Amino acid sequence: MKICFIGATGHTRFVLDGIKGDKDVHIEGIAPGSKEEKIDSFIKKLNDKGYNVKAFDNYKDMLDEIKPDIAVVASYFGYHGRVVLDCIDRHCNVFVEKPVATDMKELDDIRNAYEKSDISLAAMMGIRYTPHFFTAWKAVQDGAVGKVRLMNAQKSYRLGNREEFYKSRKTYGGTIPWVGIHAIDWLYWFSGEKFKSVYATHSKSYNNNHGDLEISALCHFTFENEVMGSVNIDYLRPATAPTHDDDRIRIAGTEGVIEVREGKVYLINNAAQGIQELPLQSGGEIFTEFMAQVRGNGKCMVTAEDSFYVTEAALRARQSADEERVIKFE
Amino acid sequence: MKICFIGATGHTRFVLDGIKGDKDVHIEGIAPGSKEEKIDSFIKKLNDKGYNVKAFDNYKDMLDEIKPDIAVVASYFGYHGRVVLDCIDRHCNVFVEKPVATDMKELDDIRNAYEKSDISLAAMMGIRYTPHFFTAWKAVQDGAVGKVRLMNAQKSYRLGNREEFYKSRKTYGGTIPWVGIHAIDWLYWFSGEKFKSVYATHSKSYNNNHGDLEISALCHFTFENEVMGSVNIDYLRPATAPTHDDDRIRIAGTEGVIEVREGKVYLINNAAQGIQELPLQSGGEIFTEFMAQVRGNGKCMVTAEDSFYVTEAALRARQSADEERVIKFE
């Protein structure tokens, strides 16, 4: 199995974690996703780990020369869509940093190209595989809270000093599509319901000189069957906080309430008195499962359809916030 | 100081807690707020506590005969507006279960009548006075999180088997105005910002034969200065939960994040490493402060203006959910 990296900006660690111990995997090439992107330190990291990687200036040359089984797309977020299209054109399987695209037209083009192809594609919605989210999701699938009715999800990050490309909508894509998309994915994944509408707002105020970057955002989704869910997103987590991020979800259903908070899972339902802390189950590794799918002996929890649909939901939420109106899903 | 009760349905305990040890207070009369309301068990409770209370069939007769200093309005929520108007007409100070009214026209009439009067009025937004909410609010006023940017508030209740009047919009008013209003009040109280718009949804599905009662609801408020806040409301808390309610708020600001959860207050900001649990301060008793205001030597934290404004916000949120559209505040 030959792997190439296009860009070194996103969550490349999913790949390095997922290939551990797999002797049939070879990282063969790396190229930036755009001219501005610096990938030298990641190349050094790969070399230090003993991978013999050839560096290219142009990712298309790399794809044509190496013909990788999987292209890992992790460049500036605003360029993913174009790069993914180039990969599908070359019949290359794609593991791509979310969102899949930052523009609805580009997303539609990718969907169409994907449907005509026989490739595998997954976006890096890797938080599904963390033990806390996976354990909570399994419990909900097993009926722990009955029918899902109301969901509240949170993404909170430290801001720090971000690279220049975060400061432009063109290269960054927006906080709802880049950060919020995880939580939007959880709402869809936990409830299993289709999106009906979204109302969202976001704000760049007090973003500490980060240009277009929205530092706070709030989304209100409705789903089929009168299920509803909110997503709150911020970069307001202080540097003194115990962790970089504070991912949470709370799901209230007809039989109970489950929560993910600080890496733990809490459940109250009629099966037991009081708050139960659930023992964590391993969710595995997203890239290991994606490779198994490419090899024809497995299935990644994040399907191509999920990747497109959740990207669409994030883009519609961003549109709602930009245009200050409710957007209905078609 | 003479006090009369009109109805015995709402949070009458605020009054009983607030008058403890005050020898100048006399509970002189009680009447139902409407013909259907049963008040016998509350009369028995008052008698058992040694109050010598005269029971009336009609609250207007009671107001005219006793001429109380304060009428405590705590009847079926849908009837508060009418009763409050009757009290203001009689120059009687009013301590009223929230919402002040369940209809915008009635609320406008009350505002107009109040402005022409010299009475004091406060809605039972008594959660402001609980040690956890009061401590968090004080910290925010003292700058603990800098400028407030993003707020998420929660009201979650056990449903149980509710009286008939909860099952009709006419008598109940709706879950956003009755339950959600507390959390709507917190957003306004903590941020100090004016409401700009609201988008809300609510659902009666799976309400266990409770008629019109909405069992889940979600509100998305925008405020001046691009501040935003959500309120999630449900009656989905299982009977096995450790408490009846699960009130929460999380406030992210430019300098930190503060949270109220399970009666505790957690702060992260640049003043200290990690999560600080704040020592709780007593907030006092809402009715004690309201009596002090009526006596001319104090001020209730819940002003008449706050009571009206937050009721208005709750009614606009309900309208948004009923009409499935964003409502702007004028």
Side-chain angles (χ1 to χ4, degrees), chain B residues 42-229:
Chain B
F42 188 62
I43 291 172
K44 186 174 180 306
K45 182 175 177 180
L46 291 176
N47 286 337
D48 290 351
K49 283 180 180 282
Y51 297 108
N52 183 20
V53 177
K54 182 170 175 185
F56 292 78
D57 289 333
N58 185 310
Y59 69 83
K60 292 182 198 173
D61 295 342
M62 175 177 72
L63 293 173
D64 292 337
E65 181 180 319
I66 295 184
K67 296 187 175 43
D69 296 293
I70 299 173
V72 177
V73 179
S75 181
Y76 295 169
F77 321 135
Y79 300 153
H80 291 163
R82 176 174 49 74
V83 177
V84 168
L85 275 170
D86 287 331
C87 293
I88 301 177
D89 279 351
R90 285 161 178 81
H91 311 290
C92 180
N93 300 295
V94 182
F95 186 64
V96 54
E97 175 65 283
K98 36 28 63 166
V100 176
T102 54
D103 173 283
M104 278 297 284
K105 167 74 174 63
E106 214 158 46
L107 179 63
D108 287 342
D109 290 346
I110 292 170
R111 271 178 159 151
N112 290 334
Y114 168 81
E115 276 163 25
K116 286 177 200 142
S117 81
D118 58 358
I119 66 146
S120 285
L121 180 149
M124 295 187 196
M125 252 84 87
I127 299 175
R128 287 192 187 188
Y129 283 82
T130 58
H132 39 303
F133 277 91
F134 182 72
T135 299
W137 177 77
K138 279 281 285 176
V140 170
Q141 303 315 299
D142 293 346
V145 300
K147 287 181 199 303
V148 171
R149 303 306 303 157
L150 178 65
M151 302 178 283
N152 307 101
Q154 170 172 302
K155 291 292 297 179
S156 177
Y157 284 171
R158 288 178 185 151
L159 180 61
N161 283 309
R162 303 249 158 189
E163 289 180 56
E164 280 303 305
F165 86 92
Y166 281 90
K167 301 175 185 173
S168 154
R169 171 67 72 92
K170 183 165 168 277
T171 44
Y172 173 55
T175 293
I176 294 174
W178 188 58
V179 182
I181 192 169
H182 286 294
I184 297 169
D185 178 50
W186 306 333
L187 300 189
Y188 171 60
W189 183 50
F190 273 89
S191 71
E193 300 281 359
K194 290 209 149 197
F195 293 98
K196 277 192 73 179
S197 71
V198 61
Y199 178 69
T201 54
H202 54 194
S203 173
K204 296 183 279 196
S205 295
Y206 303 98
N207 72 0
N208 199 22
N209 298 314
H210 277 72
D212 295 343
L213 180 142
E214 300 93 356
I215 196 165
S216 55
L218 186 58
C219 309
H220 181 145
F221 288 95
T222 67
F223 295 84
E224 296 290 343
N225 297 314
E226 297 186 3
V227 173
M228 52 195 98

Side-chain angles (χ1 to χ4, degrees), chain B residues 195-198 221-222 309 312-314 316-317 327-330:
Chain B
F195 293 98
K196 277 192 73 179
S197 71
V198 61
F221 288 95
T222 67
Y309 192 48
E312 177 190 336
R316 288 195 193 279
I327 304 280
K328 297 208 185 289
F329 287 66
E330 283 138 27

Side-chain angles (χ1 to χ4, degrees), chain A residues 120-135:
Chain A
S120 285
L121 180 148
M124 296 187 195
M125 253 84 87
I127 299 175
R128 287 193 186 188
Y129 283 82
T130 58
H132 40 302
F133 277 90
F134 182 72
T135 299

Side-chain angles (χ1 to χ4, degrees), chain A residues 25-257:
Chain A
V25 174
H26 306 282
I27 301 177
E28 302 217 343
I30 183 164
S34 65
K35 281 181 188 161
E36 315 93 284
E37 193 186 8
K38 300 273 175 286
I39 59 170
D40 293 350
S41 65
F42 188 63
I43 291 174
K44 185 173 181 310
K45 183 175 177 180
L46 291 174
N47 286 338
D48 289 351
K49 283 179 180 282
Y51 296 109
N52 184 19
V53 177
K54 183 171 175 187
F56 292 77
D57 289 333
N58 184 309
Y59 69 83
K60 292 181 198 174
D61 295 340
M62 176 177 70
L63 293 173
D64 293 337
E65 182 182 318
I66 294 183
K67 295 186 174 42
D69 296 292
I70 299 173
V72 177
V73 179
S75 182
Y76 295 168
F77 320 136
Y79 300 153
H80 291 163
R82 174 175 51 75
V83 176
V84 168
L85 275 170
D86 287 330
C87 293
I88 301 177
D89 278 352
R90 286 163 177 79
H91 312 288
C92 180
N93 301 294
V94 182
F95 186 64
V96 55
E97 175 64 283
K98 38 39 91 268
V100 176
T102 53
D103 173 284
M104 279 297 284
K105 167 74 175 60
E106 213 159 47
L107 179 63
D108 288 342
D109 290 345
I110 291 170
R111 270 177 159 150
N112 290 333
Y114 169 81
E115 275 161 27
K116 287 177 200 144
S117 82
D118 58 357
I119 66 147
S120 285
L121 180 148
M124 296 187 195
M125 253 84 87
I127 299 175
R128 287 193 186 188
Y129 283 82
T130 58
H132 40 302
F133 277 90
F134 182 72
T135 299
W137 177 77
K138 279 281 285 177
V140 170
Q141 303 315 298
D142 293 345
V145 301
K147 287 181 199 304
V148 171
R149 303 307 302 155
L150 179 65
M151 302 178 283
N152 306 101
Q154 171 174 302
K155 291 291 296 178
S156 177
Y157 284 172
R158 290 178 185 152
L159 180 61
N161 282 308
R162 303 250 159 188
E163 289 179 56
E164 280 303 308
F165 86 91
Y166 281 90
K167 301 176 185 173
S168 154
R169 171 67 73 92
K170 182 166 171 274
T171 44
Y172 173 55
T175 294
I176 293 174
W178 187 58
V179 182
I181 192 168
H182 286 293
I184 296 168
D185 178 51
W186 306 333
L187 300 188
Y188 171 62
W189 183 51
F190 273 89
S191 71
E193 300 282 358
K194 289 210 153 198
F195 294 97
K196 277 191 72 179
S197 71
V198 60
Y199 178 69
T201 53
H202 55 193
S203 172
K204 296 182 278 194
S205 295
Y206 302 98
N207 73 359
N208 199 21
N209 298 314
H210 277 73
D212 295 344
L213 181 142
E214 299 92 356
I215 196 163
S216 57
L218 186 59
C219 308
H220 181 144
F221 289 95
T222 68
F223 296 84
E224 297 290 343
N225 298 311
E226 297 186 2
V227 174
M228 54 196 97
S230 68
V231 170
N232 57 283
I233 311 152
D234 69 74
Y235 277 104
L236 294 164
R237 191 160 169 79
T240 49
T243 56
H244 168 67
D245 52 12
D246 185 9
D247 288 351
R248 300 187 192 184
I249 196 164
R250 174 183 183 269
I251 295 171
T254 54
E255 304 294 330
V257 179

